[in-house]
């Protein structure tokens, strides 16, 4: 089992992936164990559209990227190694820092940010949300 200090390092490195987007989005939470970044788009439920986050857990550090849930085609070029770290539709778990996979997550996050700042894409999401509510 990795030491707690290792998890803190992993948390900091994963959190840094979101840094380039924090000025155009809103930091909803920023503690030593949880970081959450929301877009400025308000959805039908009157809540902001979540972009992603990092959570320091007991057994691993989780990286959440909601744009891959909303736009699964972003995952088509994902490496098998990163795919192994995936849990659910938008969560990646790590026990140690992995520069190669973190670089891939950084590129995936950049592609996801491009989707989540595109007004046309957001309108489609809202339309899907409205359709699902009926």
């Amino acid at each position: 089992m990795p030491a707690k200090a290792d998890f803190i390092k992993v948390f900091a490195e994963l959190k840094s992936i979101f840094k380039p987007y924090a000025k155009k989005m809103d930091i909803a939470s920023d503690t030593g164990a949880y970081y959450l970044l929301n877009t400025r788009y308000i959805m039908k439920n009157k809540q902001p559209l979540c972009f992603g986050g990092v959570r320091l857990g007991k057994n691993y550090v989780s990286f959440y990227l909601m744009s891959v849930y909303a736009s699964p085609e972003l995952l088509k070029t994902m490496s098998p190694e990163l795919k192994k770290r995936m849990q659910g539709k938008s969560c990646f778990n790590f026990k140690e820092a992995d520069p190669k996979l973190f670089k891939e997550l950084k590129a995936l996050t950049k592609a996801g940010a491009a989707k989540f700042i595109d007004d046309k894409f957001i309108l489609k999401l809202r339309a899907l949300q409205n359709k699902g509510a009926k």
Side-chain angles (χ1 to χ4, degrees):
M1 182 71 136
K4 180 84 171 162
D6 294 338
F7 279 10
I8 292 169
K9 179 184 176 202
V10 172
F11 178 86
E13 287 189 38
L14 289 171
K15 178 182 163 182
S16 75
I17 292 173
F18 288 119
K19 187 175 183 178
Y21 313 102
K23 287 184 180 179
K24 293 185 178 182
M25 298 188 192
D26 294 322
I27 299 170
S29 181
D30 188 2
T31 69
Y34 187 60
Y35 181 81
L36 181 64
L37 191 61
N38 288 331
T39 69
R40 294 187 175 141
Y41 291 104
I42 303 300
M43 301 306 282
K44 185 179 180 198
N45 64 1
K46 305 206 184 335
Q47 296 297 312
L49 176 62
C50 178
F51 179 62
V54 184
R55 186 182 64 81
L56 179 69
K58 183 178 173 184
N59 298 314
Y60 42 74
V61 181
S62 299
F63 182 90
Y64 299 92
L65 187 60
M66 301 314 292
S67 53
V68 299
Y69 177 79
S71 191
E73 71 273 5
L74 292 172
L75 299 173
K76 287 183 180 176
T77 60
M78 183 171 51
S79 70
E81 294 84 10
L82 187 56
K83 179 74 173 165
K84 287 179 189 175
R85 304 295 182 115
M86 200 166 186
Q87 179 179 335
K89 295 182 180 182
S90 64
C91 177
F92 301 85
N93 293 324
F94 295 90
K95 290 186 177 188
E96 56 192 30
D98 188 322
K100 180 183 171 200
L101 294 183
F102 288 6
K103 183 177 179 181
E104 188 176 347
L105 268 181
K106 190 174 184 178
L108 193 59
T109 302
K110 184 176 182 179
K115 294 270 189 192
F116 270 33
I117 61 170
D118 178 0
D119 289 334
K120 290 179 184 175
F121 183 79
I122 298 301
L123 286 173
K124 286 180 189 176
L125 278 182
R126 287 179 176 158
L128 288 173
Q129 189 182 33
N130 289 338
K131 188 177 179 181
K134 292 180 181 179

